[in-house]
Amino acid sequence: NAGVTQTPKFQVLKTGQSMTLQCAQDMNHEYMSWYRQDPGMGLRLIHYSVGAGITDQGEVPNGYNVSRSTTEDFPLRLLSAAPSQTSVYFCASSYGLFGLAGAQETQYFGPGTRLLVL
Amino acid sequence: SQQGEEDPQALSIQEGENATMNCSYKTSINNLQWYRQNSGRGLVHLILIRSNEREKHSGRLRVTLDTSKKSSSLLITASRAADTASYFCATLSGGYNKLIFGAGTRLAVHP
């Protein structure tokens, strides 16, 4: 299994540009999520999905859109990039989060996408 | 706002010493998880402890949970230079569909 993959690894955008960060997993996980990590800080949840067709907001959803048309893919869209969105973005997946035993609640993280908005 | 808060923010020790990191959280939880992040990499799951458990072990890792104090600790025994990383606790909140991370503890283990 490839696990969780993210593309691109690095991206530079100008203010106002749009782009999509790709995330895919081949583990048949129902739960997927997007986090951003800023220097010296932990991860902040942007959006998450508990299954295909179902998405919801996390802690910092403004400026980001998501969709989940398949179990495997969970793209994150920046509609109009702003310098405040400069960050490292991580995608994660798991079988579930609640009520399932042991390793099924473990989050598997992708390698991250470093985004710079000028 | 972040659910978990780690303490200390940074920790520097010598190889062979034990490292203890603490995590405090605000609301009731179903489980608490610890993750490690090496510089420039994604997070890796270390251990999960449920709200009805008080202590859990995995190799050189020992995690405790005190739900009355809303706190957890991660102990790494006989630390190695390879343990140098940031360590994060994470808790479920918001109807158990949101996994919220703390700001992390940066551990440096010197040879």
Side-chain angles (χ1 to χ4, degrees), chain A residues 5-118:
Chain A
T5 58
Q6 291 184 237
T7 56
K9 291 184 178 179
F10 304 97
Q11 184 71 48
V12 179
L13 290 178
K14 295 181 179 178
T15 296
Q17 286 185 315
S18 63
M19 80 161 294
T20 299
L21 280 64
Q22 301 292 344
C23 174
Q25 51 88 13
D26 60 359
M27 297 174 281
N28 200 32
H29 286 170
E30 290 295 324
Y31 186 92
M32 296 186 74
S33 55
W34 276 101
Y35 291 87
R36 62 176 287 175
Q37 184 177 33
D38 299 301
M41 298 183 66
L43 279 71
R44 290 185 290 171
L45 181 64
I46 303 172
H47 285 285
Y48 65 95
S49 169
V50 298
I54 306 170
T55 64
D56 206 346
Q57 297 181 346
E59 301 172 278
V60 288
N62 293 341
Y64 307 95
N65 280 350
V66 292
S67 60
R68 186 94 179 271
S69 56
T70 66
T71 298
E72 294 77 19
D73 301 298
F74 190 43
L76 178 72
R77 298 182 185 85
L78 283 69
L79 299 179
S80 179
S84 60
Q85 293 178 306
T86 293
S87 190
V88 181
Y89 291 84
F90 290 99
C91 178
S93 73
S94 70
Y95 286 109
L97 270 192
F98 173 63
L100 301 176
Q104 291 176 314
E105 290 161 291
T106 298
Q107 294 291 300
Y108 295 83
F109 280 82
T113 294
R114 294 181 178 275
L115 177 66
L116 174 62
V117 183
L118 302 175

Side-chain angles (χ1 to χ4, degrees), chain B residues 55-74:
Chain B
E55 188 171 312
K56 205 163 184 179
H57 297 257
S58 177
R60 293 183 297 111
L61 305 180
R62 172 177 169 257
V63 169
T64 61
L65 180 65
D66 187 335
T67 53
S68 66
K69 296 181 179 179
K70 292 187 169 57
S71 67
S72 173
S73 67
L74 171 67

Side-chain angles (χ1 to χ4, degrees), chain A residues 31 35 37 98 102 105 107, chain B residues 30-31 35 37 50 97 99:
Chain A
Y31 186 92
Y35 291 87
Q37 184 177 33
F98 173 63
E105 290 161 291
Q107 294 291 300
Chain B
N30 173 265
N31 67 58
Y35 287 80
Q37 183 182 35
R50 300 189 183 284
N97 277 331
L99 189 63

